[in-house]
Each structure stands twice: as structure tokens, then as C-alpha cells.
Amino acid sequence: MKPVRAKKKLGQHFLTDLTIARRIAETLDFQKYSNIIEIGPGMGVLTQFLVSETQSLNLVEIDSESVAYLKNTYDENQVNLIEGDFLKLDFKKTFGEEPFAIIGNFPYNISTQIVFKTLENRDQIPFFSGMFQKEVAERICEPPGSKKYGILSVLTQLFYKTELLFHVPPQVFKPPPKVDSAVIRLVRKTDFHLDCDEVLLFQLVKLSFQQRRKTLRNCLKTLNIPKMLTEDSIFDLRPEKLSGKDFVQLAKQIGHGNISN
Ligand code: SAH
């Protein structure tokens, strides 16, 4: 079968290095996680190292040309091929309450949206690993205080233990992307439930990092938090110094009733 023609708008950069594909597959503990989703399998370079390891492999691919290619390679009892947009996939409808692990050499044009969807559905996703552009991989894994620490770091690290495993150069893709890549692994923490208002927490984190060099007191001014609360010394800090737990503490202190928007 003819190889798939790479389409830029779908973020298609096909991996050509089999050693790297195998190393990505090896980030996943197949004994522990038996139900797996691969996002954006393309022509299946990673899929071949997953299919032999699990009974339940779901492939989510938006590109009909890639889907046709995969149908030609695997038959229905080997993989569950879902043609569609991962970002629109209704997990409960497709998988019920069943938990699943996510893996992939992901489409970089929707990297952060993939991570946010994972965080929103963390109750069903104990494990996530795969390849992103290096910059996004670093942002997810950096600790508080670092320059690259931001919204993605705070929110991901609240629920997952994050690791940046190894870097990958552009030359091993066809066509090569303009950026370097890196492989990360996220393992869900035992306690991944929040004891604060999630909407408020996400709002506080996003608003704070719009002005990462200012103090929280300044960053959150538009919320009109009562002065009595903002006198606390935590408001003297810059958002980049706060861990996810600190933001949870902040959300608890503020509470939904105390802000005006
Ligand atoms: N994993 C393959 C392909 C990587 S390129 C490899 O390593 O070679 C990214 C893949 O994601 C492409 O196949 C592209 O069609 C697919 N893709 C892009 N947007 C998607 C989306 N919203 N949902 C599912 N797949 C998507």
C-alpha cells in the first residue's frame, strides 16, 4: 500500500526510527495497564510495538487516508480502530467507566488540548505517555520556580507524577518538524481528587500566569477578592513560585462566594 501523504494541517510528522518507536512503547507497563488508546497512529509505526502486548488496543485517528492504511495492516480482532477527532471523543460513551492508558507520538498542533482533555478526564486515565514538541514536554514537567513553569505544569503536576524521559531530534521524522521533540510519562497520583472548587482553581491558575512576573495580589486584582483575604502573605508571591497544592490552598481560602465575576 502507498504511504500516507503527510498533511501539515493534521500535524503529520511520521516517525521513521523504529528504535525510538520501540522505546516509546516501552514507557508503558502492559501488565498494569491493559486497556490502551493510541492517539494519532498514522501509519502505525508505534502501533506495531503495542499490538503484540495487549488484548485491548484502541486507535483514534482523524485522517481517513491513515485509517485506510491501518485497516489494510490490521484486522478487526487485533485493534479497535476509531476514525475521528480525539478531542471530540466521548470517553464514557465509547469505553463506559473502564479506565485506560493513553500513548502516542501525538499531533503537535493540538498538544496542549490533548493534555487538558486528559486532566479533565483523569478519573479514567491512570497513565499517559508519548511524544510532544520539546517545549511542551518541558512545560509539563518543570518544577515551580523555573522559567518554563506555567499553567500546564501546575495543573498536570497536581494530578500526575511527571517525567521527561528522552529527547528526539527532527531528522527521525518524515517530514522533519521545525522543533525538537521529547518523550514524557505521566503516572496518576494516588490522590487525584481535589478538595476545592475545580472551576475556581483552573480560573485562578490561568489568570495568575497571564502576568507571571507580578505578585498574586496584582494578578488576581480583577476578581475583587476582599482585602481581608489578600493580606495573607501568599499574595506577595509570584505565581511561578506556587505549586499546585499552593493553588488549591488559595482556592480554598478564597472560595467561590468571595469573588465578583
Ligand atoms: N504516530 C504516528 C503519526 C504521528 S503524526 C507516527 O509516529 O508516525 C500525528 C498523527 O495524529 C497523524 O496521523 C494525524 O493524522 C493524527 N491526528 C491529528 N489530529 C488528530 C486528532 N484531532 N485526533 C486524532 N488523530 C489526530
Side-chain angles (χ1 to χ4, degrees):
M1 197 166 175
K2 269 207 332 227
V4 173
R5 189 175 41 87
K7 296 159 209 79
K8 211 174 174 182
K9 69 169 198 315
L10 294 178
Q12 288 183 338
H13 296 278
F14 299 110
L15 188 61
T16 55
D17 185 321
L18 295 187
T19 309
I20 291 175
R22 174 176 301 140
R23 284 178 72 196
I24 295 175
E26 284 169 0
T27 61
L28 203 160
D29 179 347
F30 294 96
Q31 302 297 324
K32 216 164 172 176
Y33 308 106
S34 51
N35 191 25
I36 297 167
I37 297 183
E38 184 190 352
I39 304 176
M43 284 181 279
V45 65
L46 174 60
T47 317
Q48 63 189 309
F49 296 107
L50 305 173
V51 73
S52 51
E53 303 290 339
T54 176
Q55 302 296 319
S56 175
L57 180 60
N58 304 280
L59 309 176
V60 183
E61 175 54 66
I62 201 169
D63 174 34
S64 52
E65 202 185 339
S66 296
V67 168
Y69 189 99
L70 291 162
K71 268 194 186 146
N72 195 47
T73 316
Y74 298 108
D75 53 65
E76 277 162 31
N77 56 26
Q78 285 179 296
V79 296
N80 176 26
L81 189 49
I82 302 169
E83 179 168 357
D85 182 348
F86 171 76
L87 297 177
K88 296 204 181 117
L89 187 66
D90 183 331
F91 294 146
K92 296 276 183 302
K93 238 190 213 159
T94 317
F95 306 108
E97 298 294 325
E98 185 89 2
F100 52 84
I102 289 181
I103 194 164
N105 166 25
F106 302 113
Y108 295 175
N109 54 331
I110 55 165
S111 298
T112 48
Q113 293 163 75
I114 291 174
V115 178
F116 276 116
K117 179 159 177 143
T118 301
L119 299 182
E120 275 156 27
N121 292 281
R122 61 188 179 273
D123 59 328
Q124 217 165 353
I125 310 173
F127 180 95
F128 179 106
S129 71
M131 186 139 63
F132 283 121
Q133 60 271 54
K134 188 180 89 174
E135 187 226 347
V136 171
E138 286 176 345
R139 275 201 275 139
I140 292 168
C141 300
E142 286 289 304
S146 122
K147 253 199 192 145
K148 292 170 186 151
Y149 185 68
I151 300 170
L152 264 190
S153 342
V154 176
L155 296 175
T156 310
Q157 290 168 30
L158 243 185
F159 308 119
Y160 291 88
K161 178 168 96 63
T162 65
E163 290 168 281
L164 196 152
L165 300 173
F166 58 93
H167 290 100
V168 178
Q171 305 86 279
V172 300
F173 299 85
K174 203 172 164 195
K178 291 205 171 66
V179 292
D180 288 328
S181 302
V183 173
I184 65 162
R185 172 162 56 201
L186 312 178
V187 178
R188 193 175 60 194
K189 292 181 172 173
T190 327
D191 184 14
F192 57 91
H193 302 285
L194 279 179
D195 57 348
C196 72
D197 182 320
E198 179 163 335
V199 175
L200 176 61
L201 175 81
F202 277 53
Q203 188 188 7
L204 289 174
V205 175
K206 285 180 182 166
L207 194 58
S208 300
F209 280 97
Q210 281 171 17
Q211 298 170 290
R212 55 183 295 134
R213 310 290 297 162
K214 297 200 172 167
T215 65
L216 280 174
R217 195 171 293 110
N218 269 325
C219 294
L220 302 176
K221 222 170 206 155
T222 54
L223 295 179
N224 292 320
I225 303 164
K227 199 157 187 303
M228 194 182 83
L229 292 173
T230 59
E231 271 163 13
D232 190 296
S233 61
I234 193 167
F235 286 90
D236 296 332
L237 297 174
R238 289 175 177 171
E240 60 196 27
K241 296 278 182 228
L242 268 65
S243 70
K245 282 216 168 83
D246 295 329
F247 274 105
V248 168
Q249 195 54 39
L250 192 67
K252 282 208 281 208
Q253 272 177 31
I254 295 174
H256 233 330
N258 271 322
I259 56 172
S260 62
N261 74 329

